[in-house]
Amino acid sequence: MSDFRNTLPRAGAYDASVTARNRVLRNTYWLLALSLIPTVLGAAVGLHFGTGQAMAANPGISTLVFLVGAFGLMFMIERNKNSSLGVALLLGFTFFMGVMLSNLLSFVLGMGNGAQLIMLAFGGTAAVFGAMATVATTTKRDFTHLQKFLFVGVVLLIVAMVANIFLQIPALMLTLSVLAIGIFSAFLLVDLQRVVQGGETNYISATLAVYLDLYNIFTNLLMLLGVLGGNRD
């Protein structure tokens, strides 16, 4: 009997583990909310200085700048995720992503119902986040095994989207946007569940992953709404 009791997890260790996971989840949500501020500021700066028009006029160069800037900053964030510099780099990254978002925003705001479409895309993204967060914290089913499969899907999406910049096939663009919303919604569930289950113990890395999921859901949803429901009068 004593041997059996020794194999059981100690209550104190279990409580400490739960407390640590809750702290990571709480810090992730706080930092995620904070990251929206530089995103909005970056988008405002991009719109003010006409960055969107410059990007639209040079799609190849703008794509290269986006890929180099985004992946470079993500690499730096991961290198410094255990220090306060990681937080600063993450906020700088979200500002950069806001500037890059100005191209799509300027396109949508040029429509008669552009502001409504942006609010609808934001509301839809918030709804997806709420649904995935609820599932991640309540379900007993493990979705984290889907991570490798989803990563392959993201790589294929990036390749196809870059190719379509030059091919300019509208039907392919719409198809890729629908697939992107589905893939990143699933990725959002996986990333949130990893935090809930203790698979991710660094809140900076967790925030970066969740932010990227939400960013891609928002941009692709806004693109779909702009193409399918935009008022160009």
Side-chain angles (χ1 to χ4, degrees):
M1 181 66 70
S2 61
D3 291 339
F4 174 74
R5 286 199 300 268
N6 289 336
T7 63
L8 295 177
R10 295 181 179 177
Y14 177 78
D15 292 341
S17 177
V18 172
T19 301
R21 291 201 299 267
N22 289 339
R23 182 171 60 251
V24 173
L25 186 62
R26 183 174 61 252
N27 289 341
T28 297
Y29 284 160
W30 274 110
L31 186 55
L32 181 65
L34 181 62
S35 69
L36 296 180
I37 298 175
T39 302
V40 173
L41 291 175
V45 169
L47 289 171
H48 178 75
F49 289 101
T51 305
Q53 290 82 347
M55 293 172 63
N58 302 280
I61 296 177
S62 62
T63 300
L64 181 62
V65 171
F66 174 78
L67 292 176
V68 172
F71 283 102
L73 284 169
M74 284 190 286
F75 174 78
M76 292 299 297
I77 291 169
E78 286 299 315
R79 286 288 300 272
N80 297 276
K81 64 182 180 180
N82 295 313
S83 67
S84 58
L85 179 58
V87 175
L89 288 169
L90 177 65
L91 296 179
F93 170 76
T94 59
F95 178 85
F96 172 80
M97 296 297 282
V99 173
M100 294 294 102
L101 185 61
S102 63
N103 183 24
L104 178 59
L105 291 178
S106 62
F107 168 73
V108 174
L109 288 173
M111 303 175 181
N113 59 340
Q116 291 86 346
L117 293 177
I118 293 174
M119 292 304 299
L120 185 59
F122 182 82
T125 304
V128 172
F129 175 77
M132 295 300 103
T134 301
V135 173
T137 54
T138 58
T139 187
K140 294 182 179 179
R141 184 176 178 180
D142 186 9
F143 293 96
T144 57
H145 66 279
L146 298 175
Q147 187 172 8
K148 292 182 180 180
F149 172 77
L150 293 173
F151 180 77
V152 172
V154 170
V155 172
L156 294 177
L157 268 178
I158 293 175
V159 172
M161 287 179 172
V162 171
N164 199 46
I165 292 175
F166 304 97
L167 296 176
Q168 294 293 313
I169 303 176
L172 178 59
M173 180 192 70
L174 294 177
T175 301
L176 292 175
S177 291
V178 172
L179 290 173
I181 293 172
I183 289 175
F184 283 105
S185 295
F187 235 135
L188 177 61
L189 173 59
V190 170
D191 289 331
L192 289 173
Q193 194 173 60
R194 287 177 60 241
V195 178
V196 172
Q197 294 181 350
E200 178 58 74
T201 58
N202 185 281
Y203 72 95
I204 295 178
S205 293
T207 303
L208 175 62
V210 174
Y211 176 87
L212 287 171
D213 297 333
L214 294 174
Y215 184 92
N216 282 283
I217 293 170
F218 174 78
T219 55
N220 284 281
L221 183 56
L222 183 58
M223 189 178 300
L224 279 177
L225 291 172
V227 173
L228 300 178
N231 181 4
R232 295 173 176 81
D233 293 338

